[in-house]
Amino acid sequence: MSNTIKVEVAYALPEKQLIVAVDVPDGTTLSEAVRLSGITNEFPDLDLSKAKYGIFSKAVRAPDKEILREGDRIEIYRPLLIDPKQARANRAAKEKGASD
Protein backbone atom coordinates (compact mmCIF):
# COMPACT_ATOMS: atom_id res chain seq x y z
CA MET A 1 0.00 0.00 0.00
CA SER A 2 1.44 3.37 -0.97
CA ASN A 3 1.24 6.39 1.28
CA THR A 4 -1.13 9.18 0.41
CA ILE A 5 -1.07 12.87 1.19
CA LYS A 6 -3.88 15.41 1.41
CA VAL A 7 -3.69 18.51 -0.80
CA GLU A 8 -6.15 21.15 -1.95
CA VAL A 9 -6.78 22.54 -5.43
CA ALA A 10 -8.26 26.04 -5.60
CA TYR A 11 -9.72 28.00 -8.49
CA ALA A 12 -11.86 31.12 -8.48
CA LEU A 13 -13.88 33.14 -10.91
CA PRO A 14 -15.57 36.38 -9.85
CA GLU A 15 -18.91 34.57 -9.55
CA LYS A 16 -17.73 31.15 -8.29
CA GLN A 17 -14.90 29.87 -6.11
CA LEU A 18 -14.00 26.29 -5.28
CA ILE A 19 -11.42 24.47 -3.16
CA VAL A 20 -11.26 20.71 -3.72
CA ALA A 21 -9.58 18.48 -1.13
CA VAL A 22 -7.95 15.46 -2.70
CA ASP A 23 -5.90 12.50 -1.46
CA VAL A 24 -3.03 11.72 -3.83
CA PRO A 25 -0.19 9.21 -3.74
CA ASP A 26 3.02 10.48 -2.16
CA GLY A 27 5.26 11.67 -5.01
CA THR A 28 2.39 13.13 -7.07
CA THR A 29 3.20 16.19 -9.17
CA LEU A 30 1.17 19.38 -9.16
CA SER A 31 -0.19 18.68 -12.66
CA GLU A 32 -1.27 15.16 -11.71
CA ALA A 33 -3.06 16.40 -8.58
CA VAL A 34 -4.96 19.04 -10.53
CA ARG A 35 -6.17 16.40 -12.98
CA LEU A 36 -7.09 14.01 -10.15
CA SER A 37 -9.07 16.74 -8.38
CA GLY A 38 -11.66 16.82 -11.17
CA ILE A 39 -11.87 20.61 -10.91
CA THR A 40 -12.60 20.89 -14.63
CA ASN A 41 -15.93 19.17 -13.96
CA GLU A 42 -16.98 22.36 -12.14
CA PHE A 43 -15.15 24.73 -14.52
CA PRO A 44 -15.45 23.20 -18.01
CA ASP A 45 -13.90 26.27 -19.68
CA LEU A 46 -10.71 25.92 -17.63
CA ASP A 47 -7.83 24.95 -19.93
CA LEU A 48 -5.29 23.26 -17.66
CA SER A 49 -2.64 23.24 -20.39
CA LYS A 50 -2.62 27.07 -20.49
CA ALA A 51 -3.17 27.77 -16.79
CA LYS A 52 -0.54 29.20 -14.45
CA TYR A 53 -0.14 27.58 -11.04
CA GLY A 54 1.12 28.32 -7.57
CA ILE A 55 1.41 26.72 -4.17
CA PHE A 56 0.37 29.03 -1.32
CA SER A 57 0.74 32.10 -3.61
CA LYS A 58 4.23 31.16 -4.80
CA ALA A 59 4.39 30.67 -8.58
CA VAL A 60 5.34 27.23 -9.85
CA ARG A 61 7.18 27.30 -13.19
CA ALA A 62 7.27 23.54 -13.85
CA PRO A 63 4.00 21.98 -12.63
CA ASP A 64 4.86 18.64 -14.28
CA LYS A 65 7.97 18.40 -12.08
CA GLU A 66 6.76 19.98 -8.82
CA ILE A 67 6.33 17.21 -6.23
CA LEU A 68 3.66 18.00 -3.66
CA ARG A 69 3.88 17.81 0.11
CA GLU A 70 1.20 17.09 2.69
CA GLY A 71 -1.14 20.04 3.08
CA ASP A 72 -0.10 21.97 -0.05
CA ARG A 73 -2.75 24.24 -1.55
CA ILE A 74 -2.48 24.40 -5.32
CA GLU A 75 -3.82 27.60 -6.81
CA ILE A 76 -4.86 27.82 -10.45
CA TYR A 77 -4.52 31.40 -11.68
CA ARG A 78 -6.75 33.10 -14.24
CA PRO A 79 -5.07 35.05 -17.03
CA LEU A 80 -4.67 38.76 -16.36
CA LEU A 81 -7.17 40.96 -18.16
CA ILE A 82 -4.91 44.00 -17.98
CA ASP A 83 -1.22 44.54 -17.26
CA PRO A 84 -0.80 45.54 -13.57
CA LYS A 85 1.34 48.56 -14.52
CA GLN A 86 -1.36 49.78 -16.89
CA ALA A 87 -4.04 49.25 -14.24
CA ARG A 88 -2.08 51.41 -11.77
CA ALA A 89 -1.57 54.10 -14.42
CA ASN A 90 -5.32 54.06 -15.18
CA ARG A 91 -6.18 54.43 -11.46
CA ALA A 92 -3.68 57.26 -11.04
CA ALA A 93 -5.10 59.10 -14.04
CA LYS A 94 -8.64 58.61 -12.75
CA GLU A 95 -7.70 59.90 -9.28
CA LYS A 96 -5.91 62.91 -10.78
CA GLY A 97 -8.98 63.72 -12.91
CA ALA A 98 -11.24 63.49 -9.84
CA SER A 99 -9.10 65.93 -7.86
CA ASP A 100 -8.99 68.60 -10.59
Side-chain angles (χ1 to χ4, degrees), residues 58-100:
K58 184 177 180 195
V60 172
R61 303 274 181 231
D64 291 335
K65 296 178 182 174
E66 183 74 25
I67 302 297
L68 298 174
R69 294 186 298 259
E70 175 75 27
D72 278 349
R73 184 186 67 228
I74 301 164
E75 298 155 349
I76 305 170
Y77 303 127
R78 296 188 318 256
L80 295 175
L81 299 178
I82 186 170
D83 177 55
K85 290 181 183 179
Q86 185 61 49
R88 284 191 294 277
N90 292 351
R91 282 193 304 274
K94 185 176 178 181
E95 290 172 10
K96 183 176 184 215
S99 66
D100 287 343

Side-chain angles (χ1 to χ4, degrees), residues 19-85:
I19 297 175
V20 178
V22 61
D23 292 333
V24 297
D26 196 16
T28 297
T29 66
L30 185 152
S31 294
E32 292 169 334
V34 170
R35 283 190 292 276
L36 290 170
S37 75
I39 201 152
T40 55
N41 294 334
E42 292 293 324
F43 299 97
D45 293 336
L46 176 59
D47 185 350
L48 297 178
S49 67
K50 295 181 182 176
K52 303 290 185 202
Y53 300 96
I55 295 176
F56 291 116
S57 301
K58 184 177 180 195
V60 172
R61 303 274 181 231
D64 291 335
K65 296 178 182 174
E66 183 74 25
I67 302 297
L68 298 174
R69 294 186 298 259
E70 175 75 27
D72 278 349
R73 184 186 67 228
I74 301 164
E75 298 155 349
I76 305 170
Y77 303 127
R78 296 188 318 256
L80 295 175
L81 299 178
I82 186 170
D83 177 55
K85 290 181 183 179

Side-chain angles (χ1 to χ4, degrees), residues 1-14:
M1 180 174 145
S2 83
N3 293 334
T4 60
I5 60 172
K6 292 184 184 299
V7 297
E8 295 179 330
V9 178
Y11 184 65
L13 295 174

